[in-house]
Amino acid sequence: PVLIEGWDTKFLDPEEIDKISPSSNQETVSQLILGFLRYFGWEFDWQNLAVSIGRKQAGTQGDVPKSTMPMISGTDQWYVEDPFDLRHNLAGMCSPAGKARVIGALRTAYTNLCHTGDWLRSITFVAHSGYW
């Protein structure tokens, strides 16, 4: 283990890479990105689930109930686990306006990419004085 403040932060030793079976996933990077945008923009249950890269339950799609996380979080609060400090909710200070902005950006990017295929249009930042 690689411990930082008591947390194991090691992901994979270089010599272990060859031991990993290749993925059976045949999707392109573009398809994976669209899937990410669709899932977190429309499908993910932000009220009841947490985003965590290390707590996937065996036999599930990876859904992690917020109730199993170390920090208490209400249904209105997002929970995105910090992979290096498991006690830290990275989205713990996200305001309702911030949440709406993130969801809106995910949905806009997905829609733009599906209809135009224009990556630059989909990632263009537009400042909005209401958020600053």
Side-chain angles (χ1 to χ4, degrees), residues 91-117:
M93 299 301 289
C94 189
S95 69
K99 291 189 315 186
R101 185 172 182 206
V102 170
I103 293 292
L106 291 166
R107 291 176 176 181
T108 298
Y110 177 83
T111 301
N112 285 344
L113 287 171
C114 285
H115 290 112
T116 69

Side-chain angles (χ1 to χ4, degrees), residues 1 43 85 124:
E43 299 171 11
D85 181 353
T124 303

